[in-house]
Amino acid sequence: MDNKKGGVLFLSLQRFSTIYKRDGSTAPYQREKILAAINKAADATQHTIPSSQLSQILEDVELDLINQDIHTPSIEKIQDEIEHALMLNKYFDIAKAYILYRQKHAEHRSTKEKHASPRKKEEEARINIVHSDGTPSFYDRVVLKQYIEDLTRDLDPHEFSVESLLTHTETNLFSGITSIQILDTLMLAATGLIEYDPSYEIIASRILLKKIYKETFTTKIASSNLKENYMQSFKSLVNIGFTHELFNQEMHVFDIDTLATALKPEYDNLLKYTGIKTLHDRYFLKHNKRCIEAPQHFWMRVAMGLSYKEKNPNERAIEFYELISQLYYIPSTPTLFHSGLARPQLSSCYITTISDDLHTIFKCIGDNAQMAKWSGGIGNDWTPIRATGTHIKSTNVESQGIIPFLKIANDTTLAINRSGKRRGATCAYLETWHLDIEDFLDLKRNTGDERRRTHDMNTANWVPDLFMKRVKEKATWTLFSPNETGDLHELYGQAFEDRYHYYESQAQQGLLKNHRTIEAEKLWKKMLTRLFETGHPWITFKDPCNIRSPQDHQGVIHSSNLCTEITLNTSDKETAVCNLGSINLSRHVEPSGINQYRLQQTIKTAMRMLDNVIDINFYPTQEAHNSNQKHRPVGLGIMGVQDMLFTLGIPFESEACVELMDTTMEFISYHALLSSSELAKERGSYESYEGSKWSKGILPLDTLTLLEQERKQKIPIPKTKRLDWQKARDHIKAYGMRNSNTMAIAPTATISNISGCFPCIEPAYKNIYVKSNMSGEFTVINTFLVRDLKSRGLWSKAMLDKIKYFDGNIKDIQEIPQEFRTLYKEAFEIDPVKLIRLTAVRGKWIDQSQSHNIFLKGASGKVISETYLAAWEMGLKTTYYLRSLAASQIEKTSLNAQEFGYTQKRQYSLSQHASKNTNGTPTDDTPAPTKYHTENTVFSSAEASSTEAPLAQLHASDDISEDSLLSADIHQSESPTQETQADSVITSACSIMDPDCEVCQ
C-alpha cells in the first residue's frame, strides 16, 4: 500500500467512526467484523483471498462510500458495496456466497422478529434521524404532523389530507435519514398528490421556500420576522456581490437600505412550486456552491440591473421590482440570468447574415460561439453562400455548398452549453430558390450521411410569395446559385418577381451556369414531408416580413431568429439584436374582464425596462453593438392567453376569442407604441428613425393594406379598430419613436413556468400530463378544470381516473357539461386554421412576428398543406414547429382495472362510440366542419381529416414522388417514433414536450 493510499485510508477510518444499525441506532465502525464476514464467504467456496487483496477490497469499499459523501454508512450500504467490490475484483463465487450469507442472516432476523414482543418490534421499527448539527434522534410522527398543520393553517382542510401526506412521506423514510431529507420527502409526497388537488402544490411550494430561506438567510428563520430576514440577507447578498465582483460596480449608486425596506416577502406566495424550483435550480445566484438569493432578492437584483443608469435609480428599481415580483411582466431568460452582474448580457436574440467569403463564414461561426456563450439565441442567414458545384475562382475548384459549413455551425452550437445552465441554440435560414435547398431540407433526417446532418441545430425555409403562387398555380420553380443571382436575396415583392423572371429567362438562354427547374408543388410536398418527419425546416415568409417592416428604408430582412418571432434587418456590417420580455395576461384578467388600467401601467414600465436593456447590455460582438444602438428594437410579448380565456370562460375556437384577441392586442399595441414615443420625447428618437414607416405615419395596421397591394389579393382579416389611433399618430409625428420595433411574441417556454401560466399564445397542450424535473416525476392537472369541476360537485378520485384514462382529453366524459368540454379542448382538438386566424388577427397590430406552433392530429398531407397555405394567405409572417400528436400517455397503473380494463383502448374507437346516440346518429357535440374562405380556395378541416389525403395525393393527377415517405399517409418509417422524435426536438429548442426548456425565453 503506497503512502497516498495509506493516507486516504487513514482519513476514511477517521470518518467512519460509527455506523447505523438496522434499528436506526449507531454502533462503532469495526473493520474486523467486515473482514471476518468476507472470509466466511470465501471459506464457504473453499477459496482464499490474499490478505493484501482483502485489505484492498475493503479500502475500495470505504473510498466508494467517501465519494458518495456518506458520513455514517448503514450496515446494509456497506454490505452492498462489498458485493460490488467482490464482483469488480472478479471474485464471483465469493460474491455469490456473500449474498447467500446475507440472505441467511436476513431470514434469521425475520424469524426473530416474528417471535419478538410488540414493544420490541416497535422499538426496532423506529427510524433514526440525523439533524444538521449531527445530533441524532428518532422520527416522531406527531412532530411532522404538527409541521404540516402549521404550514397549512390558512388552507381549506377539505381540499387536502394531512394523513395522506404523512403516509406518502413515511413510505420513503429510512434509518439515517437527515432532517433536510425528510422535508424533501414530504415535498415530493406533496407534488405526487397535486393531481388530486391544487392545494398540494401550495404545500410543496411552501416547503421549498422554507428550504431556500434556510440556505439563503443569514439569521434564524421565523415567520414573525420574515421581512427582517429578507432585509438582512439582502444586504449580505449585495456585500458578497460587490466584494467578489459578481455585481456590476455601477450598482453602487443604490441606497441598499431603501431597497431592502421595499422587499415584499408576501410576493413569494404568488410563485407556484414549478416556478420556485425553476428559479432556484437555474436562475438564483450561487456563490461557493451555495444559493445566496431567495425569490425577492432575485427580483430586486434584476430590477437594480435594469435601472442603475436611470436619473432616480432607487425609485425606478422599486418600480421595476413591483412589476416583476408580482409577475405582471417577466423579462426574458438572458435578462434574468445576467441583470446586475459584471457582464450583463441581457439580450435574447441575435441575427446575422453570412457573406460568401471563407473569412466571413468562420468569423460568423466564431460570433455564434460568443453569442451562445452569453445565452443569446441565434438566427443565421446562409442564403448568400454559393451552391454545391459552383466554381471558386481563387482555387479553381468546385464549391461543396453550404452543408459542410452548416455542420460546423451545428457542432459549434453543440459545444456551448453554459455548463448545463442553458444550451446553445441556433437556427439556419435558407431562401427557397437556393440550389442547395433540397439538401438543406434533409439536414435533420436520421438517415443518410451523418456528415451532412445537423441534429443539434434548427432550420427554417425563407419562402418568397412567388414560390407560394407557383405552388397554387402548379407551375415550375427554378433554383439558382447566389453567386450568379445574389441580388434576389436583397429584393422582395414585385421587385423580386421581376428580377426572378429575368433570371429564369437568362437560364433558359443558357447564360447562367448553375440552375435547375423543378415542379413547385413537388418541392412544397418535400418541404412539408420533412417538416412532419423532423419538425424542420420551419416555414417562414419573406415578403410579409419585409413589406410590413417599419425599417424597410434600412435594407432587407433576410431571416428571422431562433424562434421565428423577430424580424429585423441584417447585413455583413450589422448583427440584429432584440431584447424580449412578456406581459403575463393571467395577472391582468378578472372574471369581469381585463384590468385595462393595470395593463396600461405594465406596458409603460415594461417598455422602459426593455429600452434600458439596450444601453446597459454587454454585446458579444461589435456588429451587434452597432446595430442595437442605431435601431434600438425591442420585443414586448404576451403569455398566459389560455389562462385569460379560462378565467373568462371563452373557448379558443369561438368568435368571442377572436374578438378578445383583437381588442387585447390592439390595446397592447396602442400603448406600446405610445410608450415608445413618450420615451422618445424624454430621451430622443432612435438614430435611424428618419425614413422609417413611423416617420411617414404608417403604423402596423396600415401595413396590412400594403401587403394586399403588393400581392394583389385581399388578406381575409378585418381591419376593425376601436381606439383613438389619431392620438398615437400625432404623438409619433411630434416626438418620433424610441425603438424601431416594439412588439414580438416569443415562446416564453421557461418564464411562463416561472409565472405559473400557460406559455405565450398557446392553447393548453394537455389537461393532465407528467412533469419531470431533477426531483422526479409528478402529475400536473389543469387547475382551471379542477376549479370548474369542483363548482359543479364533479371533482373526485373517480373523475380524475377517467381524465387519466383519456390522457387528459375530456370530450368523451359525458358527466362533464358540454360547456366545459368545449372550453377545455386540448391543442390537438382545436382546428389549426382557427388558431392561425387568431395569430393573423393579433399580427395586424404587431410590428414583428409571433412564435406560432401548428398542432395537427393525424397524418393527412392535405390538411398539412392547406394549413400552411392558410397561414400564407392570412398574411402570417412566420410559423414555428409543426406539432403532431405524440404517442405518449399519462401513467395509468393506479386506475381500477375492473372499471377501465387492463389495456388502453383505442381512443378513436371510444370517441366514435361516444359521439353517437344509440341509433348511430351523431350527437350535438360532434365537431362541425369549419371552413376558411379566400378568393381562390375553400378549406374544410373536417372533410380533409376524413379524407386523410397524403402529400403525394394533393391532386389526383400527381405522380407518386420518388420519395418513399409519400405513401398513403405520411409516416416515419426512417425516422424515430413520434415519442422519440419529440425528444430529439427537445434537444434543439423549446418544446411542449419539455416545459423546462429555456432555449428562447
Side-chain angles (χ1 to χ4, degrees), residues 771-971:
K771 180 164 182 62
S772 301
N773 59 28
M774 294 168 63
S775 300
E777 293 187 348
F778 57 95
T779 303
V780 177
I781 191 164
N782 186 337
T783 56
F784 292 95
L785 174 60
V786 174
R787 174 203 66 185
D788 283 345
L789 292 176
K790 281 183 176 181
S791 71
R792 302 291 180 91
L794 294 172
W795 183 243
S796 64
K797 172 67 165 60
M799 179 58 74
L800 173 63
D801 286 347
K802 286 186 179 180
I803 294 172
K804 277 187 174 184
Y805 180 73
F806 288 103
D807 290 309
N809 193 321
I810 65 171
K811 69 182 179 66
D812 295 322
I813 304 178
Q814 299 298 321
E815 302 98 299
I816 297 179
Q818 182 58 47
E819 62 184 285
F820 291 166
R821 284 186 274 165
T822 301
L823 178 62
Y824 292 105
K825 276 189 176 183
E826 296 174 341
F828 290 102
E829 298 301 316
I830 299 173
D831 185 342
V833 174
K834 288 189 174 182
L835 293 177
I836 286 171
R837 183 185 173 207
L838 288 171
T839 295
V841 167
R842 282 187 301 266
K844 70 183 185 182
W845 304 110
I846 297 174
D847 52 48
Q848 293 201 69
S849 191
Q850 307 166 68
S851 294
H852 178 100
N853 287 311
I854 290 177
F855 301 89
L856 282 175
K857 189 175 183 180
S860 167
K862 182 178 180 181
V863 172
I864 295 173
S865 181
E866 291 178 344
T867 298
Y868 279 95
L869 281 168
W872 175 69
E873 295 201 7
M874 289 194 202
L876 263 64
K877 296 177 182 177
T878 59
T879 64
Y880 197 26
Y881 280 104
L882 169 63
R883 308 284 192 188
S884 55
L885 186 59
S888 59
Q889 298 175 338
I890 192 73
E891 188 272 329
K892 299 181 176 68
T893 55
S894 61
L895 300 186
N896 186 320
Q898 291 183 340
E899 180 178 355
F900 293 101
Y902 290 89
T903 60
Q904 172 69 4
K905 299 178 179 68
R906 287 177 58 86
Q907 285 205 17
Y908 175 79
S909 301
L910 288 167
S911 62
Q912 290 292 97
H913 174 76
S915 62
K916 292 183 178 180
N917 291 317
T918 53
N919 61 2
T921 59
T923 61
D924 290 339
D925 59 338
T926 303
T930 59
K931 294 182 183 286
Y932 157 63
H933 298 267
T934 70
E935 293 178 349
N936 304 313
T937 58
V938 179
F939 300 150
S940 172
S941 61
E943 292 166 5
S945 295
S946 63
T947 305
E948 289 290 304
L951 290 177
Q953 297 174 357
L954 287 171
H955 301 282
S957 61
D958 280 347
D959 293 325
I960 298 297
S961 166
E962 71 273 17
D963 190 320
S964 63
L965 287 171
L966 299 180
S967 55
D969 281 306
I970 300 175
H971 59 88

Side-chain angles (χ1 to χ4, degrees), residues 573-616:
K573 295 179 177 60
E574 288 188 359
T575 293
V577 184
C578 202
N579 316 294
L580 301 178
S582 296
I583 298 166
N584 181 2
L585 289 176
S586 71
R587 293 284 292 148
H588 294 84
V589 66
E590 301 160 356
S592 59
I594 291 176
N595 184 331
Q596 291 193 344
Y597 174 78
R598 176 64 262 174
L599 182 55
Q600 179 182 344
Q601 295 304 306
T602 294
I603 295 166
K604 187 179 179 72
T605 302
M607 287 298 292
R608 190 177 195 94
M609 294 171 73
L610 286 168
D611 188 62
N612 285 357
V613 166
I614 296 166
D615 296 316
I616 292 169

Side-chain angles (χ1 to χ4, degrees), residues 742-791:
T742 60
M743 290 164 284
I745 300 179
T748 71
T750 311
I751 63 171
S752 60
N753 263 354
I754 294 169
S755 304
C757 67
F758 286 92
C760 59
I761 54 176
E762 304 273 281
Y765 173 65
K766 282 284 186 184
N767 284 315
I768 190 170
Y769 66 92
V770 176
K771 180 164 182 62
S772 301
N773 59 28
M774 294 168 63
S775 300
E777 293 187 348
F778 57 95
T779 303
V780 177
I781 191 164
N782 186 337
T783 56
F784 292 95
L785 174 60
V786 174
R787 174 203 66 185
D788 283 345
L789 292 176
K790 281 183 176 181
S791 71

